């Protein structure tokens, strides 16, 4: 009887322990559910308040990332194209070698001149510049140096240099203008390397001793702001960004305001890549320009073109020039399959100079364009 009583007591104690444990478990689960709710509920509120104040989203990523990335010292702008000359010669030298070979023949008959014309056209020089160059070459080679390779090379250099036009103002006007920062707007279609060019342009400015603010106004491509943030963090440039899908004009406006508040020398605004055939998108680009101009004049509008697109790039250039008054061209990927004639063609089409060229994937492979170095790389290759 006593043993039975002991078993009953033990069973009761065990049952009590199980009940207490179950209650505690339920309470813990109930507490977890309550904690999730406040985490998720503020998110819509944060999104709604971020839209008008675009600086707020930029602050935390900048502070978080700068501590991770080591500050870099960009290569000075002076001499960059000279350093990249061999790379340029490898990609563009076939044109120069072909022309020198043809024009150095002792008998320059019509068949040879047809080959010269074909070579110039395939180099993306364009019909009108090719015609002008052909006329001058015919006259000068015949009179001055028929069959003389050294004389032909000299004439070809002089005539091509005249086409590229070394007298054009190729300075990027991004310096501080009196009591305000210089403002640069970077535009172009998707895939040209526009955001990368914006980052490399910031490195050029920092290398020249300028304080830089970057505006991540490409709010439609998820990775664009993060990509620009990384470029900025590497050289200590402030990056102003807004919420994904936000108003790009608001971001651009706030970037200029941030540059004014911080005393920066230059603000460089990366805009969303867009197809030149989409009227609505081009109108929006015009809006960005107008909104920025309410606060500050825009000193440079740089159009980024992929040099490998050849004559199609001229179509893009034409449309962008109508919307935002392009002041300079940046030709990317000139070290690849691009034809050097696009430099002449795009300048002739728009009447604005090629100011910068991209000659590689490295962070400092964006170089100020130098007409003489460019032509020498073609002719002396």
């Amino acid at each position: 009887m006593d043993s039975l009583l002991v078993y009953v007591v033990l069973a009761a104690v065990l049952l009590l322990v199980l009940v207490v444990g179950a209650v505690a478990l339920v309470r813990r689960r109930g507490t977890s559910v309550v904690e999730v709710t406040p985490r998720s509920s503020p998110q819509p509120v944060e999104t709604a308040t971020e839209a008008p104040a675009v600086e707020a989203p930029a602050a935390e990523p900048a502070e978080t990332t700068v501590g991770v990335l080591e500050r870099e010292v960009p290569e000075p702008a002076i001499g960059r194209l000279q350093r990249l000359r061999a790379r340029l010669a490898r990609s563009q030298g076939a044109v120069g070698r072909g022309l020198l070979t043809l024009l150095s023949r002792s008998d320059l008959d019509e068949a040879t001149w047809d080959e010269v014309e074909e070579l110039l056209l395939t180099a993306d020089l364009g019909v009108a510049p090719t015609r002008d160059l052909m006329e001058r070459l015919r006259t000068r080679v015949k009179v001055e140096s028929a069959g003389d390779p050294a004389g032909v090379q000299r004439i070809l250099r002089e005539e091509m240099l005249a086409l590229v036009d070394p007298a054009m103002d190729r300075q990027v006007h991004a310096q501080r203008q009196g009591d305000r920062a210089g403002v640069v707007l970077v535009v172009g279609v998707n895939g040209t390397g526009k955001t990368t060019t914006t980052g490399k342009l910031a490195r050029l400015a920092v290398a020249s001793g300028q304080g830089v603010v970057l505006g991540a106004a490409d709010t439609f491509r998820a990775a664009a702001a993060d990509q620009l943030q990384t470029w900025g963090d590497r050289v200590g440039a402030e990056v102003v960004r807004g919420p994904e899908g936000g108003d790009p004009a608001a971001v651009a406006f706030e970037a200029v305001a941030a540059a004014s508040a911080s005393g920066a020398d230059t603000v460089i605004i990366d805009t969303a890549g867009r197809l030149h055939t989409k009227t609505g998108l081009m109108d929006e680009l015009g809006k960005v320009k107008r909104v920025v101009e309410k606060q500050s004049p825009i000193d440079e509008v740089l159009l980024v073109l992929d040099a490998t697109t050849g004559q199609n790039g001229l179509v893009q250039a034409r449309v962008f020039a109508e919307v935002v008054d392009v002041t300079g061209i940046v030709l990317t990927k000139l070290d690849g399959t691009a034809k050097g004639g696009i430099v002449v063609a795009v300048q002739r089409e728009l009447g604005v100079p090629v100011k910068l060229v991209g000659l590689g994937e490295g962070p400092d492979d964006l170089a100020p364009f130098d007409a003489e170095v460019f032509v020498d790389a073609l002719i002396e290759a």
Side-chain angles (χ1 to χ4, degrees), residues 290-310:
R290 291 192 300 273
V291 168
V292 170
E293 287 176 330
K294 289 180 181 178
Q295 186 171 197
S296 170
I298 295 177
D299 301 286
E300 285 279 4
V301 179
L302 296 177
L303 173 61
V304 182
L305 292 177
D306 180 344
T308 62
T309 61

Side-chain angles (χ1 to χ4, degrees), residues 267-289:
V267 55
I268 307 171
I269 301 169
D270 177 36
T271 60
R274 58 203 71 233
L275 292 173
H276 58 285
T277 55
K278 299 295 184 181
T279 305
L281 293 176
M282 295 301 291
D283 289 344
E284 188 176 82
L285 181 60
K287 175 190 171 185
V288 171
K289 182 174 183 289

Side-chain angles (χ1 to χ4, degrees), residues 255-267:
V256 176
S260 177
S262 66
D265 302 298
T266 304
V267 55

Side-chain angles (χ1 to χ4, degrees), residues 187-206:
V187 303
V189 302
N190 283 320
T192 58
K194 179 180 51 57
T195 300
T196 298
T197 296
T198 304
K200 291 182 178 182
L201 188 57
R203 293 179 68 90
L204 269 174
V206 170

